[in-house]
Amino acid sequence: MCFRRANPIPSWIPQIGMKFSTLDEACKFWEYYGGQIGFSVRKRYSNPSKFDGKITSCRYVCSKEGHRVADKRDHSTKQSRAETRTDYQVRIGLTIDRETGNYDIFDLVLEHNHMLHLKETCHLMPSQRKISEVQAFEIEMADDSGIGPKAAHELASRHVGGSCNLSYTR
């Protein structure tokens, strides 16, 4: 006897046609997906409506998407920063359904062209760093007590069993 799953794709993998009630919900979903796969995310653009100011479409991408614009500030720079963008095309495009007010995925590319982060290091990526309210309070308390950032980070790391278990960096 053979059992078939109704939906073989996990719910955390984006699919065309998925719906979100807000852009914040869609952004958090994309950040979660990036953390599960191993890449950092950013917002590429958003288009507000001229009439009511509501965002009508937007695109979230991998942080390595595209190419860096040439720096026009200083021509005497001898050692420029390393190129971090790899023309990575992973993206999710959202558009609003005016009837329901939901945001639908209309454009989706999930193919990777660079090395992904290991699960153990995903919390170090900029889009995955999260400080809870309790952690923020502890940081503020340490600062008010005269404890420096390095010592406060060391204390928080010991509290949770090492810096690898902490959801933010020093």
Side-chain angles (χ1 to χ4, degrees), residues 20-153:
F20 301 96
S21 57
T22 64
L23 277 179
D24 190 45
E25 182 183 321
C27 180
K28 286 181 180 168
F29 175 80
W30 186 243
E31 286 177 354
Y32 180 78
Y33 173 72
Q36 292 297 309
I37 298 298
F39 65 94
S40 189
V41 303
R42 65 182 169 87
K43 185 190 300 185
R44 176 77 166 131
Y45 67 81
S46 60
N47 294 322
S49 170
K50 292 179 183 176
F51 302 110
D52 59 4
K54 192 167 188 169
I55 303 296
T56 58
S57 64
C58 72
R59 176 169 287 161
Y60 296 103
V61 296
C62 170
S63 61
K64 293 184 179 255
E65 183 264 348
H67 294 285
R68 188 178 354 178
V69 178
D71 190 2
K72 298 178 184 177
R73 293 177 294 173
D74 190 7
H75 296 288
S76 63
T77 303
K78 293 181 180 168
Q79 196 76 5
S80 60
R81 290 186 176 189
E83 182 62 53
T84 58
R85 304 236 178 131
T86 62
D87 200 24
Y88 195 32
Q89 295 300 314
V90 169
R91 65 182 178 265
I92 183 174
L94 300 159
T95 187
I96 193 168
D97 180 358
R98 287 283 186 180
E99 293 176 7
T100 62
N102 291 334
Y103 289 90
D104 302 336
I105 297 177
F106 76 94
D107 181 27
L108 183 64
V109 177
L110 301 177
E111 296 148 8
H112 307 278
N113 72 349
H114 67 84
M115 296 294 291
L116 300 173
H117 287 265
L118 298 173
K119 191 70 174 160
E120 296 81 28
T121 62
C122 281
H123 69 283
L124 299 173
M125 296 183 296
S127 66
Q128 301 299 318
R129 295 181 200 157
K130 306 290 185 228
I131 296 180
S132 70
E133 288 183 26
V134 172
Q135 291 169 331
F137 180 74
E138 288 176 351
I139 292 168
E140 287 294 322
M141 290 290 292
D143 187 48
D144 292 345
S145 301
I147 299 173
K150 185 175 181 180
H153 186 266

